Amino acid sequence: MDIIKQTITIQNKLGLHTRATIKLVELVNNFDATITIKHHDKQADADSVLGLLVLETCYGQEIEIIATGTEAKQAMFAVTKLIENKFLEDQ
């Protein structure tokens, strides 16, 4: 089983807020993979809106993404693209 780790900076001005979190959860549910997001000393599964909101990530902060499973590479690519594209928001 693949385990992939990547650190990325939050690009959108509002950080990992509710709308962005919902987009992330919907995205990761399309893959046969488990995605975990780490921020400082907290971590959450990327399929949990509440868990992700508790991370309190803001613009410019780094998070670590950990992907495991048969589609870990595809899931990591999709998640990093969503974050790099500012969760498809104007801000």
Side-chain angles (χ1 to χ4, degrees):
M1 179 185 318
D2 288 338
I3 299 174
I4 302 168
K5 295 182 180 183
Q6 183 170 338
T7 300
I8 192 166
T9 302
I10 298 295
Q11 303 289 321
N12 60 317
K13 296 289 184 195
L14 298 175
L16 205 49
H17 62 97
T18 305
R19 254 187 333 272
T21 300
I22 290 169
K23 287 179 185 177
L24 180 57
V25 169
E26 289 174 348
L27 177 68
V28 300
N29 283 326
N30 292 317
F31 296 95
D32 183 19
T34 300
I35 306 293
T36 303
I37 307 289
K38 286 186 172 184
H39 181 245
H40 296 301
D41 60 344
K42 299 177 188 174
Q43 74 177 37
D45 290 335
D47 62 356
S48 168
V49 173
L50 183 58
L52 292 170
L53 291 173
V54 170
L55 296 178
E56 301 177 314
T57 53
C58 300
Y59 171 76
Q61 294 181 329
E62 287 188 342
I63 59 170
E64 182 179 19
I65 305 166
I66 303 161
T68 60
T70 57
E71 294 182 322
K73 289 178 185 175
Q74 299 93 320
M76 179 66 77
F77 179 79
V79 168
T80 56
K81 286 298 169 202
L82 181 66
I83 294 169
E84 289 170 354
N85 290 321
K86 302 178 183 179
F87 295 92
L88 310 173
E89 298 176 344
D90 294 333
Q91 298 290 324

